[in-house]
């Protein structure tokens, strides 16, 4: 009986060791191995950064000089903190007016309305405005407000209407208005929004002591 | 049984991660895992594995999830682990989250309903395992009587 238990334990330990070796190989593998599949490439990049303790970036402690009076409903705010695991821009929200944004960033809170002043606590913030009439941008903002309460799921597909994550929310509300901010893929990242030709930069604020990446 | 549950669940997590962008595939994989876990459970009952051992297996299986839940709830009130605890919890429970997302969405206070439902999952698993075992024993008792 004890021998059987020991055998089982050895087998399970073997599986665990195999998994650990597999993960290590994936993390150490060169980037070109995953280049053909964007989602695998992203998983690979995130796994590498996670090992270093990076994911959402780390706020350096100096608020940026944001001026919320320049914002218009439908504006996309992309935020940067150094050490992001999935790109330069570590977060994105959509401004819905009255000093508020819709944000999908945390599993516990889900998609929620937050005060725009919270985004002062990023090292760098850029405001992007869709190249579209104000009425279209307003409809996108209204559409974002309707998403409030939905679950946060960073592993969800763009076609999954049951959950959101920051950049997916923005991509979807503009897609509903007929504006495709970037091509449809497994993961839309804040970097994809920042490089969109459908958005133009209207403002950029950074922390006074900001020294780049 | 706990070892088999762990192995199959880890395979499910990896497969689910690889299937990102294909939500129906992910949901189908989760569904298959639930069916196989239930069949494992009932096969254990038929083989006469004692209740204590089976519940211990269930507790052993949900221990990582329960630990992450406790850390996440602690983090929600004290912000001691930042978003790490929530992130790991979301990843670990992702196969469950895919199904919980099908619930009508709402917010309860500061929290997402799916998050609260996920927090309850470990306790529901223990409760269900004890209930199903008790029910099976009662039925078996009636049969033997």
């Amino acid at each position: 009986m004890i021998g059987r238990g020991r055998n089982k334990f050895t087998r399970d330990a073997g599986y665990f060791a195999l998994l650990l070796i597999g993960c290590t190989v994936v993390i150490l593998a060169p980037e070109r191995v995953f280049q053909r599949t964007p989602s695998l490439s992203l998983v690979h990049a995130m796994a590498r950064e996670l090992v270093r303790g990076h994911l959402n970036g780390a706020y350096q402690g100096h608020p940026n000089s944001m001026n919320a009076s320049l914002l218009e409903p439908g504006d996309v705010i992309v935020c940067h903190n150094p050490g992001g695991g999935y790109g330069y821009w570590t977060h994105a929200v959509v401004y819905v007016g009255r000093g508020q944004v819709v944000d999908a960033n945390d599993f516990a809170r889900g998609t929620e309305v937050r005060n725009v002043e919270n985004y002062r606590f990023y090292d760098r913030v850029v405001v992007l405005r869709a190249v579209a009439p104000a009425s279209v941008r307003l409809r996108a903002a209204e559409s974002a407000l309707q998403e409030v309460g939905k679950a946060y799921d960073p592993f969800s597909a763009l076609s999954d209407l049951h959950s959101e994550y920051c950049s997916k929310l923005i991509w979807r509300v503009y897609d509903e208005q007929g504006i495709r901010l970037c091509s449809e893929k497994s993961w839309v990242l804040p970097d994809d929004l920042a490089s969109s030709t459908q958005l133009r930069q209207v403002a950029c604020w950074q922390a006074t002591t900001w020294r780049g990446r | 049984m706990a070892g088999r549950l762990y192995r199959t669940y880890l395979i499910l997590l990896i497969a689910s991660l690889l299937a990102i962008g294909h939500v129906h595939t992910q949901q189908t994989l989760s569904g298959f895992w639930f069916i196989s876990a239930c069949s494992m459970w009932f096969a254990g009952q038929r083989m006469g594995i004692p209740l204590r051992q089976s519940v211990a297996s269930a507790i052993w299986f949900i221990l990582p999830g329960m630990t992450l839940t406790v850390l996440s709830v602690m983090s929600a009130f004290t912000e001691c682990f930042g978003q790490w605890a929530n992130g790991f919890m979301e990843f670990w429970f992702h196969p469950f989250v895919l199904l919980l997302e099908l619930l009508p969405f709402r917010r309860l206070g500061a929290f997402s309903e799916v998050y609260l439902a996920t927090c309850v999952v470990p306790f529901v698993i223990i409760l269900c395992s004890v209930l199903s075992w008790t029910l099976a024993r009662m039925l078996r008792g009636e049969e033997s009587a």
Side-chain angles (χ1 to χ4, degrees):
Chain A
M1 189 74 176
I2 293 170
R4 251 182 76 187
R6 195 174 289 165
N7 276 347
K8 264 181 149 182
F9 178 78
T10 314
R11 197 183 58 193
D12 288 344
Y15 281 126
F16 185 70
L18 206 65
L19 188 77
L20 215 61
I21 292 167
C23 289
T24 313
V25 168
V26 168
I27 290 167
L28 295 177
E31 264 180 59
R32 60 189 150 79
V33 175
F34 303 97
Q35 253 171 4
R36 283 187 184 174
T37 322
S39 60
L40 280 184
S41 172
L42 183 62
V43 169
H44 176 238
M46 278 169 63
R48 277 189 155 182
E49 294 301 325
L50 272 170
V51 172
R52 295 181 193 139
H54 298 162
L55 191 61
N56 288 342
Y59 172 57
Q60 301 297 296
H62 305 285
N64 63 62
S65 51
M66 178 192 274
N67 177 4
S69 66
L70 295 175
L71 297 168
E72 289 181 12
D75 281 353
V76 176
I77 303 172
V78 286
C79 315
H80 162 78
N81 272 335
Y86 42 85
Y88 178 80
W89 298 104
T90 49
H91 191 34
V93 293
V94 58
Y95 185 71
V96 291
R98 297 178 184 174
Q100 292 182 317
V101 301
V102 175
D103 186 345
N105 188 39
D106 185 39
F107 182 44
R109 298 194 309 258
T111 308
E112 61 175 349
V113 173
R114 297 188 78 196
N115 194 306
V116 73
E117 289 298 318
N118 287 306
Y119 304 89
R120 253 181 217 290
F121 307 108
Y122 277 90
D123 275 34
R124 194 174 182 214
V125 157
V126 161
V127 179
L128 304 166
R129 190 163 292 161
V131 187
S135 59
V136 173
R137 285 184 273 126
L138 187 63
R139 280 205 301 274
E142 284 165 358
S143 183
L145 276 170
Q146 285 169 9
E147 301 298 302
V148 172
K150 281 193 181 176
Y152 169 75
D153 183 1
F155 308 110
S156 63
L158 291 177
S159 56
D160 180 6
L161 305 180
H162 296 104
S163 57
E164 297 290 359
Y165 58 86
C166 64
S167 33
K168 173 187 165 182
L169 168 82
I170 296 163
W171 187 91
R172 278 198 48 239
V173 296
Y174 272 103
D175 190 56
E176 281 173 16
Q177 311 309 319
I179 298 170
R180 188 151 279 198
L181 297 178
C182 64
S183 59
E184 194 171 348
K185 43 190 170 181
S186 301
W187 261 320
V188 169
L189 298 172
D191 275 10
D192 296 320
L193 301 179
S195 60
S196 171
T197 53
Q198 300 290 327
L199 298 169
R200 64 183 172 87
Q201 184 176 322
V202 289
C204 173
W205 298 291
Q206 51 200 45
T208 45
T209 54
W210 187 80
R211 290 193 187 111
R213 199 171 190 179
Chain B
M1 190 173 5
R4 257 179 90 185
L5 283 171
Y6 266 124
R7 277 196 300 279
T8 52
Y9 194 69
L10 281 175
I11 292 167
L12 172 70
L13 279 179
I14 294 166
S16 185
L17 194 67
L18 293 176
I20 281 175
H22 308 279
V23 69
H24 296 302
T25 311
Q26 289 177 313
Q27 282 169 343
T28 310
L29 285 169
S30 300
F32 272 127
W33 183 83
F34 286 119
I35 293 167
S36 71
C38 288
S39 62
M40 239 185 272
W41 185 254
F42 290 114
Q45 277 187 358
R46 276 199 304 274
M47 283 159 66
I49 295 175
L51 169 66
R52 198 188 297 166
Q53 195 183 325
S54 296
V55 173
S57 293
I59 291 173
W60 182 237
F61 169 65
I62 57 158
L63 201 62
M66 204 180 251
T67 311
L68 288 171
T69 304
V70 171
L71 292 179
S72 172
V73 172
M74 271 171 66
S75 188
F77 290 102
T78 60
E79 294 191 0
C80 48
F81 302 106
Q83 290 180 344
W84 286 91
N86 287 344
F88 280 119
M89 181 188 167
E90 215 279 339
F91 176 68
W92 183 257
F93 283 114
H94 194 248
F96 291 91
V97 171
L98 281 168
L99 302 176
L100 292 172
E101 278 172 7
L102 301 176
L103 295 170
F105 60 85
R106 260 180 300 175
R107 280 176 63 81
L108 296 173
F111 298 106
S112 150
E113 194 181 51
V114 172
Y115 170 73
L116 294 175
T118 310
C119 287
V120 177
V121 162
F123 305 99
V124 170
I125 290 175
I126 293 183
L127 196 69
C128 285
S129 56
V130 172
L131 279 178
S132 72
W133 211 267
T134 314
L135 204 67
R137 279 186 73 180
M138 277 168 63
L139 288 172
R140 231 179 282 158
E142 277 173 20
E143 273 173 23
S144 58

